[in-house]
Amino acid sequence: MARCEGAGSTGGEPVFDPVALAEQARAMMRLPEPDIGTAPTPDKPRFVNIPAWMWVAEADWGPVSATASVSAGSVTVVASPERVVWDTGDGHEVVCTGPGTVFSRAVFREEGSPDCGHTYTVLPPGGAGAAVDLTAVWEWGVSWSASDGQGGDLEQLTTASTVAVPVSEIHSVVTQVR
């Protein structure tokens, strides 16, 4: 919680500008960067034409708030996660409206494909095993409410993280036909 104390006067009454206080509280917010999870793990290759899973830490998927106040009142700003926009490093973008599902064999058996994932269809320019940057941009909706009953929305905030992931392919050769 942030506190900003100050007083101005207009005819002896304290000045209370809730929009300015909301912007001040918004500027003090510290939102988590996406804690990127993938299956396969970032150090293992994704294979062409096989789905890869992506997620951010579900524990971080919740609202974050900050409050600024003066003697005449206070404003609380709340940032709520809205979606994660993934740049997959191969010219594609995946938009997920939740944190994504952490990979497990049980979930894979029940649901198959990930709810937040991507399938690479070609090798990167560097060829098999070359890495691409997988970037998660977390978009946060921001609203405010003041002690005097006013409220509204502010410009959204974003946080981002990037990991390098190798992309490869599997070839099979039929050596004997029955």
Side-chain angles (χ1 to χ4, degrees):
M1 177 192 294
R3 277 219 174 302
C4 303
E5 299 293 334
S9 66
T10 53
E13 297 200 18
V15 174
F16 179 57
D17 182 352
V19 175
L21 225 53
E23 286 293 346
Q24 190 172 21
R26 178 184 175 274
M28 291 184 291
M29 293 188 101
R30 297 295 169 249
L31 301 175
E33 292 181 354
D35 182 8
I36 295 175
T38 65
T41 58
D43 60 328
K44 304 285 186 208
R46 272 115 272 279
F47 291 108
V48 170
N49 296 321
I50 298 177
W53 294 47
M54 305 177 301
W55 64 87
V56 296
E58 189 171 1
D60 292 338
W61 192 273
V64 175
S65 65
T67 299
S69 62
V70 293
S71 59
S74 64
V75 174
T76 298
V77 174
V78 177
S80 300
E82 292 184 337
R83 65 188 198 157
V84 178
V85 179
W86 296 86
D87 177 342
T88 58
D90 63 350
H92 292 91
E93 190 175 89
V94 176
V95 178
C96 300
T97 56
T101 301
V102 176
F103 176 84
S104 74
R105 290 178 193 263
V107 171
F108 177 72
R109 274 194 285 279
E110 285 182 27
E111 299 176 21
S113 236
D115 61 342
C116 187
H118 177 65
T119 301
Y120 290 88
T121 57
V122 296
L123 289 173
V132 296
D133 285 336
L134 176 64
T135 301
V137 178
W138 202 341
E139 296 178 353
W140 300 75
V142 183
S143 61
W144 63 274
S145 59
S147 57
D148 67 357
Q150 295 184 62
D153 293 324
L154 298 172
E155 184 178 331
Q156 84 174 182
L157 293 168
T158 60
T159 56
S161 294
T162 301
V163 295
V165 295
V167 178
S168 198
E169 63 185 344
I170 299 172
H171 292 275
S172 60
V173 177
V174 177
T175 59
Q176 188 174 30
V177 178
R178 289 184 188 208

